[in-house]
């Protein structure tokens, strides 16, 4: 695949793991963070070296054709609204989850009905020309770092439009080491989010371990 310019908004475990994989695959990766001089940002720079750039979200988005939203779920909607003009007309991969709903689940050991984990509607309202995908949200960072389980490659479930941009997104998934499985267009976002609910139930609620569980489609 040709070199891509990828903006990753957020430098937490998910964003930094994805950025490392994509930089190693030869893409230009720019991290957009609230404070580029922070200890976390400087640690990331030291770890990844000259392969990545670190700046503000606006700086990262301005130089990219793909945007990955990997910030905490409680700030993603504000980020979308603030930078909507820079997100529009790009491939946008929403990897963020609304964490309060997950934290509530972990404390109560029960999923609440009809609590959306995605900010898809905000993206569609404020960046209507973006090609939006829901991906990289259904696991923690551990399966991205090591996607093989006893020699078997884990799958990543996602949704989004068909066409040329789908090919780009699937190649990015493959470069992380996962098998891409499209569940449909963005009207299937709840199905993708149900994969997250299943992973959290197995890995966290049942205590199997964040680095011990991933999912695979088996066919005949």
């Amino acid at each position: 695949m040709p070199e891509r310019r990828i903006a990753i908004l957020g430098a937490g475990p998910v964003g930094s793991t994805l950025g490392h994989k994509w930089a190693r695959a030869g893409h230009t990766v720019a991290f957009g963070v609230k404070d580029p001089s922070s200890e976390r940002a400087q640690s990331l720079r030291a770890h990844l070296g000259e392969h990545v750039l670190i700046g503000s979200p606006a700086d990262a988005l301005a130089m990219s054709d793909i945007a990955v939203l990997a910030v905490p779920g409680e700030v993603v909607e504000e980020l979308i609204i603030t930078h909507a003009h820079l997100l529009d007309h790009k491939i946008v991969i929403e990897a963020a989850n609304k964490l309060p709903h997950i934290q509530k689940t972990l404390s109560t050991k029960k999923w609440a009905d009809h609590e959306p984990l995605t900010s898809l509607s905000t993206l569609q309202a404020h960046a209507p020309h973006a090609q939006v995908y829901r991906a990289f949200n259904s696991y923690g960072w551990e399966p991205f770092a090591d996607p093989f389980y006893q020699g078997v490659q884990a799958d990543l479930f996602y949704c989004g439009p068909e066409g040329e941009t789908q090919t780009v997104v699937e190649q990015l998934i493959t470069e992380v080491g996962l098998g891409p499985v499209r569940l449909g267009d963005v009207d299937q976002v709840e199905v993708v989010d149900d994969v997250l609910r299943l992973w959290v139930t197995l890995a966290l609620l049942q205590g199997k371990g964040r680095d011990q569980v991933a999912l695979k489609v088996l066919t005949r």
Side-chain angles (χ1 to χ4, degrees), residues 159-180:
C159 66
E162 292 184 296
E164 293 182 10
T165 55
Q166 174 193 358
T167 301
V168 173
V169 171
E170 291 204 343
Q171 184 62 39
L172 293 176
I173 294 170
T174 300
E175 288 170 345
V176 172
L178 294 151

Side-chain angles (χ1 to χ4, degrees), residues 129-166:
H129 302 104
Q131 296 291 302
V132 178
Y133 291 82
R134 181 72 160 144
F136 299 109
N137 70 298
S138 51
Y139 300 135
W141 65 271
E142 293 87 349
F144 305 149
D146 183 4
F148 287 86
Y149 292 75
Q150 298 186 23
V152 178
Q153 180 189 43
D155 287 332
L156 185 80
F157 300 85
Y158 79 97
C159 66
E162 292 184 296
E164 293 182 10
T165 55
Q166 174 193 358

Side-chain angles (χ1 to χ4, degrees), residues 2-38:
E3 178 186 347
R4 301 289 178 179
R5 299 177 301 162
I6 306 170
I8 300 177
L9 304 189
V14 169
S16 60
T17 302
L18 296 177
H20 175 76
K21 294 281 185 90
W22 291 330
R24 193 168 62 185
H27 302 298
T28 299
V29 177
F31 284 92
V33 297
K34 185 177 181 180
D35 180 7
S37 64
S38 70

Side-chain angles (χ1 to χ4, degrees), residues 93-209:
I93 300 174
E94 189 205 5
N97 295 304
K98 292 186 177 178
L99 291 178
H101 300 333
I102 298 175
Q103 292 166 344
K104 180 179 176 182
T105 297
L106 294 176
S107 64
T108 63
K109 306 296 184 182
K110 181 179 180 181
W111 287 100
D113 294 333
H114 309 302
E115 288 190 336
L117 300 172
T118 176
S119 297
L120 174 65
S121 60
T122 303
L123 266 171
Q124 292 174 321
H126 293 273
H129 302 104
Q131 296 291 302
V132 178
Y133 291 82
R134 181 72 160 144
F136 299 109
N137 70 298
S138 51
Y139 300 135
W141 65 271
E142 293 87 349
F144 305 149
D146 183 4
F148 287 86
Y149 292 75
Q150 298 186 23
V152 178
Q153 180 189 43
D155 287 332
L156 185 80
F157 300 85
Y158 79 97
C159 66
E162 292 184 296
E164 293 182 10
T165 55
Q166 174 193 358
T167 301
V168 173
V169 171
E170 291 204 343
Q171 184 62 39
L172 293 176
I173 294 170
T174 300
E175 288 170 345
V176 172
L178 294 151
V181 178
R182 180 176 179 268
L183 298 182
D185 211 330
V186 289
D187 59 350
Q188 297 300 308
V189 68
E190 279 300 318
V191 181
V192 175
D193 286 355
D194 281 341
V195 177
L196 168 67
R197 293 181 175 97
L198 176 58
W199 183 82
V200 168
T201 298
L202 293 171
L204 303 181
L205 297 184
Q206 293 189 0
K208 297 185 186 302

